[in-house]
Amino acid sequence: MSNNRLIMIVIDALRFDTACSHMGFMQHLVEQGKVARYEVKSEVPSLSRPLYETILTGTPPFVHGVVGNGVIRLSTQESLFHLARRSGKKTAAAAYYWVSELYSHAPFRHGIDRIQLDKDAPIENGLFYFEDHYPDSHLFAEAQWLVSEKNPDFLYIHPMNVDDDGHKYTADSVQYRNRVLATDDLLAQTLPIWMDLGYDIIVTADHGMTADGNHGGNTMDDRHVPLFIASNKVKPIIQEQVVSQLQLAPLACHLLGIDPSEAMVPLLMPGLVDQ
């Protein structure tokens, strides 16, 4: 029976093919019948800030208006944080500061917004970093602190090191692939703990990364990302059908047991147990 609690992990710039070839622990969970694996096609432009907003609100850039990384303002949409709080659930985030700028305060105030503990805010407990090379290991430790000390119903985790190494060395590099291996190891250290606590888990990405060391375009390297789901509401098999990134927000609402916003598309993903 689901506890209607969810941890969503968005690994910045994780390509679908590299996730399949280099995330051995995640594939182990798939082979053991613990996790479902999907291929997701992101919205375009395949840029970070627009797709953070898409993942967390279920709306495309043309609707939410965050059409580039230079659009620095609060979201105009109802996010998963807003919806969860309205349903009486506790929220938390360990994430890049652009998430704070979308749902807490814009622009980000480095001396004030690094740690946000505000019971009246959409993100009730927020720990935000502002350097792309901020260690993912530190971020996962902070996420574990949030789980242990704040007991959120919805926790959003957003590591950046895969994206950082992709830009520095390209997706066709030892450094990028090794960073994906390192991220998989962090998941191996944390996911079993969180699953034992009764959390459903989503692991996905905002966009991919090209052999040019960039993203933003319309290629499979830019747009195709993984989606791993650990939940008794989802059949733990590999789904061959490519799904839209717009499905992630209504999926999260389904796993949390809350109503989606009116702006979200209907949840039509294959593999849901009760549909």
Side-chain angles (χ1 to χ4, degrees):
M1 192 73 178
S2 174
N3 292 323
N4 293 330
R5 299 202 301 164
L6 172 65
I7 294 177
M8 174 183 279
I9 304 167
V10 177
I11 301 168
D12 209 287
L14 175 62
R15 284 168 49 144
F16 175 75
D17 56 353
T18 312
C20 292
S21 62
H22 282 69
M23 300 194 92
F25 173 70
M26 296 307 300
Q27 181 59 31
H28 171 67
L29 293 181
V30 172
E31 292 181 2
Q32 291 297 309
K34 303 297 182 182
V35 165
R37 193 186 80 194
Y38 294 75
E39 183 174 356
V40 169
K41 186 176 184 180
S42 82
E43 290 294 296
V44 282
S46 50
L47 297 170
S48 294
R49 196 186 298 256
L51 298 186
Y52 302 166
E53 175 79 329
T54 289
I55 289 170
L56 285 163
T57 69
T59 57
F62 182 79
V63 172
H64 61 60
V66 183
V67 293
N69 287 339
V71 179
I72 303 171
R73 59 160 173 78
L74 286 173
S75 171
T76 62
Q77 305 295 308
E78 289 186 304
S79 73
L80 293 174
F81 298 114
H82 292 87
L83 297 170
R85 293 289 287 132
R86 188 178 306 150
S87 297
K89 293 184 177 293
K90 293 187 290 185
T91 61
Y96 194 55
Y97 75 103
W98 287 2
V99 175
S100 174
E101 288 183 326
L102 283 168
Y103 310 112
S104 296
H105 185 274
F108 187 81
R109 302 163 296 182
H110 291 69
I112 299 173
D113 295 336
R114 171 81 170 90
I115 300 173
Q116 300 177 32
L117 306 176
D118 184 352
K119 292 187 179 298
D120 295 324
I123 303 175
E124 186 176 354
N125 300 288
L127 303 177
F128 299 99
Y129 63 97
F130 46 83
E131 298 284 358
D132 292 15
H133 58 270
Y134 185 76
D136 287 353
S137 58
H138 291 41
L139 184 73
F140 273 83
E142 291 166 355
Q144 180 58 48
W145 182 86
L146 288 167
V147 170
S148 299
E149 299 301 318
K150 299 301 181 180
N151 193 32
D153 299 297
F154 174 55
L155 171 61
Y156 179 84
I157 305 172
H158 172 226
M160 184 64 77
N161 290 171
V162 171
D163 181 80
D164 189 41
D165 279 353
H167 285 303
K168 289 175 178 174
Y169 307 108
T170 83
D172 187 19
S173 68
V174 171
Q175 292 87 347
Y176 179 84
R177 291 186 288 270
N178 282 348
R179 184 60 66 185
V180 174
L181 287 169
T183 303
D184 185 64
D185 183 62
L186 290 172
L187 295 171
Q189 295 176 44
T190 52
L191 291 199
I193 297 171
W194 297 338
M195 291 165 69
D196 284 346
L197 290 173
Y199 281 100
D200 286 349
I201 306 289
I202 288 175
V203 178
T204 188
D206 49 351
H207 53 71
M209 180 66 65
T210 71
D212 295 331
N214 218 324
H215 53 85
N218 190 35
T219 70
M220 289 186 66
D221 294 347
D222 287 286
R223 298 186 69 180
H224 285 237
V225 300
L227 170 62
F228 300 96
I229 308 169
S231 171
N232 61 14
K233 294 182 179 180
V234 180
K235 297 175 184 177
I237 61 176
I238 295 175
Q239 293 286 348
E240 301 297 337
Q241 178 181 336
V242 177
V243 300
S244 166
Q245 195 172 50
L246 296 176
Q247 289 287 299
L248 294 182
L251 170 66
C253 291
H254 178 64
L255 300 183
L256 284 166
I258 63 176
D259 292 331
S261 74
E262 293 183 0
M264 292 179 186
V265 299
L267 179 59
L268 299 173
M269 285 182 58
L272 300 184
V273 170
D274 54 353
Q275 283 196 348

